[in-house]
Amino acid sequence: MKYLINSIFCVALLFCNDMYSQYNKVASGPMISFIDAYSTQVWFLLEPDAETIKINLTNYQNDKLLEYNFDVVNEYNLEKYIPFTVVLENLLPNREYIASVYVDDIFIKELDLFTKRPHLDDVQLLIGYGLGDYHSEKMFANMINTNSDFMVWLGGHVDFGNPVSFQGMLDNYIDVRKKDILNDFLSSMPQIATWGETDFGIKNIKKSWLLRDSAYTVFDLFWPNSLNKTYNYTFYDYGAYQRYSYNDVDLFLLDSETFNYGNTLYGDKQIERLFQELKNTGATFTIIASPCPFTFESKNSYLNYTKKFDYFMYRLKVSGLDGVILVSGNSVSGTRLNQYTIDNYTVNELNISSLDENNYSLINISGLVGDRKLSFNTYNENGNLIYRKYFHQNDLVN
């Protein structure tokens, strides 16, 4: 009898799973973008016949707080899958929400939402570059278990290779996002990103303004990023550069592709706006991050743009800003530190390798006011520490 009951249970479970697969119209997601005090966005990759999304927010006492209802809009008349983002507004600061997600009235998943805290707290953020084809599932499982506040992508999430169409770019993103372990990771914490050489398609797009616009549109469809683009605020200079303020950390993600032509890497307007924003940061630690190295020798290093690089360093020096750390991708292997000095001004740069190398990095910030510490840690795919560098806030005073 016990075996009969177990057999019936297994058949019923398989039937339920088949029914769930049949009616679940989410191919990837839901994925939360960066959360501020009052809003966030949730991204989905939907089957083309999906019609509605409902999100109920409750607290941990199961009190219903907010309900959101959205009609799915297929803006580009896509036939295969629809990347679609919904906006959750009217949130309150310093709250912990449980978001129950439904698509066409079928329950999909519960997500945890933590809005911006007004008090000083510990901060953890994952940071990675270059997804590639050889990343380890075990690595992503360990990244999920870090309990990071959010993940930062420094480009290389997809590789367009030789894109010839808008649809081709979409297909590339869709293939990546449908990978189960990556989907589990993207759904586990908020995700923010800039783009690098491969997800911009630099070799081909620079020859075609149409493809440049297509690449940005596709990037925007798959990376909601922040609602409030703090210093990237005109259409002409759309780009993928943004600022994220989280607790006492300011993160600036630079766009090394959109304006990369002639004798410039980041473009004058992007750099000027960066330094305008740095005037009012007030953060204990300011992280300026880019897919390209700043002070390391490489074919795409900022060092290769001598006048622009020297001006960048000069502006950092005269800004009088303490707590600055540069973080970049495209390392040959592992994590490297460079303490670069010019005109008696020193800046620290941490350069990380591709996730394809099966290691990942975690920034941890902790301590009391005036005694904050930043630890930059790199782990292998098994979660074993292979690199660590500590900075006390007083170590980053010039």
Side-chain angles (χ1 to χ4, degrees):
M1 176 64 70
K2 179 177 70 173
Y3 298 109
L4 177 61
I5 292 173
N6 285 341
S7 298
I8 293 171
F9 174 77
C10 291
V11 170
L13 183 61
L14 287 171
F15 175 76
C16 289
N17 285 340
D18 286 343
M19 289 292 289
Y20 179 78
S21 300
Q22 180 180 355
Y23 291 107
N24 177 12
K25 298 180 180 179
V26 180
S28 181
M31 178 187 80
I32 302 172
S33 71
F34 192 82
I35 306 171
D36 61 25
Y38 302 101
S39 63
T40 189
Q41 298 176 100
V42 184
W43 174 88
F44 300 83
L45 186 63
L46 301 170
E47 300 282 350
D49 58 343
E51 296 180 354
T52 63
I53 294 172
K54 180 174 72 172
I55 300 178
N56 291 331
L57 291 190
T58 61
N59 58 23
Y60 281 85
Q61 286 72 49
N62 205 30
D63 300 317
K64 190 171 182 178
L65 303 178
L66 293 167
E67 180 179 313
Y68 301 86
N69 292 280
F70 307 93
D71 293 325
V72 176
V73 178
N74 189 353
E75 181 180 359
Y76 294 95
N77 297 314
L78 304 178
E79 296 180 358
K80 297 181 180 179
Y81 298 97
I82 306 169
F84 189 71
T85 299
V86 300
V87 179
L88 306 186
E89 296 182 300
N90 301 317
L91 305 179
L92 294 175
N94 196 28
R95 294 289 193 276
E96 298 180 7
Y97 297 100
I98 299 174
S100 299
V101 181
Y102 301 81
V103 175
D104 290 348
D105 294 323
I106 302 297
F107 174 74
I108 303 300
K109 190 169 186 175
E110 282 188 348
L111 302 171
D112 291 324
L113 286 176
F114 300 90
T115 54
K116 188 175 180 179
R117 303 183 288 274
H119 55 273
L120 195 63
D121 207 344
D122 292 353
V123 177
Q124 284 203 138
L125 62 109
L126 284 163
I127 191 161
Y129 167 85
L131 187 58
D133 297 321
Y134 304 103
H135 49 272
S136 161
E137 291 192 3
K138 185 186 295 185
M139 177 183 70
F140 277 109
N142 282 314
M143 291 169 74
I144 291 172
N145 291 330
T146 61
N147 297 315
S148 179
D149 292 303
F150 56 97
M151 167 69 179
V152 178
W153 294 85
L154 294 183
H157 186 73
V158 295
D159 188 346
F160 286 149
N162 294 294
V164 293
S165 67
F166 177 73
Q167 185 62 54
M169 295 177 185
L170 283 171
D171 290 343
N172 195 303
Y173 257 109
I174 289 168
D175 289 344
V176 169
R177 290 292 175 88
K178 289 184 66 180
K179 295 178 180 178
D180 289 341
I181 187 61
L182 180 62
N183 183 37
D184 291 343
F185 174 69
L186 294 176
S187 297
S188 70
M189 66 189 69
Q191 309 278 330
I192 60 175
T194 188
W195 57 14
E197 184 176 78
T198 61
D199 32 17
F200 182 69
I202 190 169
K203 295 177 182 177
N204 302 279
I205 292 173
K206 283 194 172 182
K207 299 177 183 178
S208 168
W209 282 98
L210 177 61
L211 283 178
R212 287 169 67 96
D213 290 344
S214 295
Y216 179 75
T217 298
V218 173
F219 178 85
D220 206 39
L221 284 172
F222 284 83
W223 293 111
N225 281 324
S226 174
L227 274 173
N228 303 310
K229 294 188 175 181
T230 310
Y231 75 112
N232 176 8
Y233 50 83
T234 72
F235 176 77
Y236 181 75
D237 280 342
Y238 45 71
Y241 60 97
Q242 295 196 28
R243 170 186 177 179
Y244 298 91
S245 298
Y246 193 87
N247 215 281
D248 64 334
V249 181
D250 254 359
L251 172 66
F252 291 85
L253 292 184
L254 299 186
D255 178 351
S256 61
E257 302 302 327
T258 302
F259 317 104
N260 179 359
Y261 51 86
N263 64 347
T264 182
L265 182 63
Y266 300 111
D268 295 338
K269 290 184 179 180
Q270 179 181 184
I271 293 300
E272 187 58 36
R273 290 180 189 168
L274 167 67
F275 284 106
Q276 288 296 321
E277 288 296 311
L278 288 175
K279 288 180 179 179
N280 59 20
T281 171
T284 305
F285 296 104
T286 299
I287 300 171
I288 303 175
S290 170
C292 297
F294 293 91
T295 67
F296 287 89
E297 300 273 357
S298 76
K299 67 176 183 179
N300 61 348
S301 174
Y302 203 14
L303 283 174
N304 299 332
Y305 303 82
T306 306
K307 290 183 178 179
K308 301 296 183 182
F309 173 78
D310 289 347
Y311 178 73
F312 174 81
M313 293 298 296
Y314 166 77
R315 290 293 297 271
L316 274 181
K317 177 181 179 180
V318 300
S319 71
L321 187 64
D322 297 326
V324 175
I325 294 177
L326 306 179
V327 180
S328 59
N330 217 24
S331 172
V332 176
S333 180
T335 298
R336 302 180 294 169
L337 171 68
N338 190 26
Q339 293 182 312
Y340 188 90
T341 301
I342 183 171
D343 295 332
N344 297 318
Y345 177 79
T346 300
V347 66
N348 292 274
E349 178 182 358
L350 287 150
N351 185 228
I352 60 175
S353 61
S354 167
L355 293 169
D356 241 13
E357 296 286 333
N358 286 324
N359 55 60
Y360 61 94
S361 294
L362 178 72
I363 297 175
N364 182 282
I365 297 166
S366 60
L368 302 176
V369 177
D371 190 29
R372 298 285 273 174
K373 305 174 187 68
L374 183 150
S375 175
F376 194 100
N377 311 295
T378 299
Y379 300 88
N380 65 17
E381 63 179 305
N382 297 314
N384 298 322
L385 183 69
I386 57 176
Y387 178 89
R388 171 170 286 168
K389 177 64 180 177
Y390 281 107
F391 297 97
H392 189 277
Q393 66 179 92
N394 293 337
D395 297 332
L396 301 173
V397 175
N398 271 283

